[in-house]
Amino acid sequence: MSAPTPSFFRRNGLSLVLAVLFLGFLAGQMLTGWNADNESRMLSGQDPLPLREYLLSGHFISATFENWESEFLQMGMYVLLTVGLRQRGSAESRPLDPAEEEERIDPGPTPWPARAGGMARWLYANSLALAFMLLFLASFLLHAWGSWMHENEERATDGQPPVALVEHVTGAQFWYESLQNWQSEFLAVLSIVVLSIWLRQDKSPESKPLAAPHRQTGT
């Protein structure tokens, strides 16, 4: 007798819960950012913005994509760095000895790019890192656009002339916004790489087994 088919949530629970958390926190950011921006506008004698206009403002666009760009940069770089670099004892690293690596392939159809060879296979072989890099680039450009809009909105409030986009993205403020997030993302990755050497979380795929010695590398 075959085992019952797992429920939809059982099969997709991780992505569903993460999506709900993302949307919930994004909604919270929208509302709190809207209120905070309107408080600032009223203090400077301006009329408050309706929510729809706020979501198209530099304040919201800059803050949103400033964070997204750092997340996609972190994940893309992590995917690439873990290809060739190792950390002895970390659950996040491939084993030091190539002979200890095991590639698990379940029964089922092989994706067509893997069978096709040539450029299709190369693109598929690097598609995860490429996807993260494209998402990073898109978020970076949207952050630059939103941050530029926000600076010119503030300059207009102060009666100053607008600045060109090139002037803004070569200025200290834009790179301060980016670098403050980039450094925190790589600190977070460094933390899990190093802490997983000695610490455990039972049943997590990001952790080594409880009985594994600290020197064991990989999960």
Side-chain angles (χ1 to χ4, degrees), residues 13-143:
L14 182 58
S15 57
L16 289 172
V17 169
L18 288 172
V20 168
L21 289 171
F22 162 69
L23 292 173
F25 288 129
L26 180 61
Q29 178 201 336
M30 290 177 182
L31 294 175
T32 55
W34 177 42
N35 288 326
D37 188 51
N38 277 338
E39 287 174 5
S40 177
R41 291 175 65 84
M42 287 187 288
L43 286 174
S44 61
Q46 296 176 284
D47 293 331
L49 289 177
L51 179 59
R52 179 178 296 181
E53 288 185 32
Y54 171 72
L55 296 181
L56 298 174
S57 71
H59 186 275
F60 176 74
I61 293 172
S62 176
T64 300
F65 291 102
E66 174 188 334
N67 284 289
W68 288 20
E69 81 179 32
S70 62
E71 299 295 341
F72 293 134
L73 175 66
Q74 176 219 96
M75 296 305 297
M77 289 298 297
Y78 186 55
V79 167
L80 288 174
L81 291 174
T82 52
V83 171
L85 301 180
R86 308 287 188 273
Q87 173 55 57
R88 183 177 185 268
S90 176
E92 297 295 312
S93 170
R94 293 167 60 189
L96 300 180
D97 184 356
E100 296 178 7
E101 295 195 68
E102 296 182 6
E103 189 174 67
R104 170 188 162 188
I105 300 179
D106 289 345
T110 301
W112 74 264
R115 303 192 308 269
M119 181 57 70
R121 181 181 175 86
W122 184 88
L123 288 171
Y124 187 62
N126 298 279
S127 55
L128 184 58
L130 289 171
F132 277 125
M133 289 303 120
L134 288 173
L135 289 167
F136 163 73
L137 180 60
S139 298
F140 182 84
L141 294 174
L142 286 166
H143 168 215

Side-chain angles (χ1 to χ4, degrees), residues 10 29 42 86 115 124 143 153 172 177 186 190-192 211:
R10 176 72 174 174
Q29 178 201 336
M42 287 187 288
R86 308 287 188 273
R115 303 192 308 269
Y124 187 62
H143 168 215
E153 289 164 2
E177 293 170 1
F186 285 101
L190 174 63
S191 298
I192 192 170

Side-chain angles (χ1 to χ4, degrees), residues 138-202:
S139 298
F140 182 84
L141 294 174
L142 286 166
H143 168 215
W145 179 52
S147 180
W148 172 56
M149 288 174 57
H150 185 50
E151 180 180 359
N152 281 335
E153 289 164 2
E154 291 185 327
R155 292 176 68 87
T157 301
D158 296 335
Q160 299 178 355
V163 296
L165 178 59
V166 173
E167 183 180 352
H168 174 74
V169 297
T170 55
Q173 177 62 32
F174 173 72
W175 286 103
Y176 169 72
E177 293 170 1
S178 290
L179 294 173
Q180 67 173 328
N181 280 316
W182 295 5
Q183 57 85 15
S184 66
E185 296 300 336
F186 285 101
L187 175 62
V189 172
L190 174 63
S191 298
I192 192 170
V193 167
V194 175
L195 291 177
S196 67
I197 298 173
W198 300 283
L199 305 181
R200 308 286 188 270
Q201 178 56 57
D202 196 20

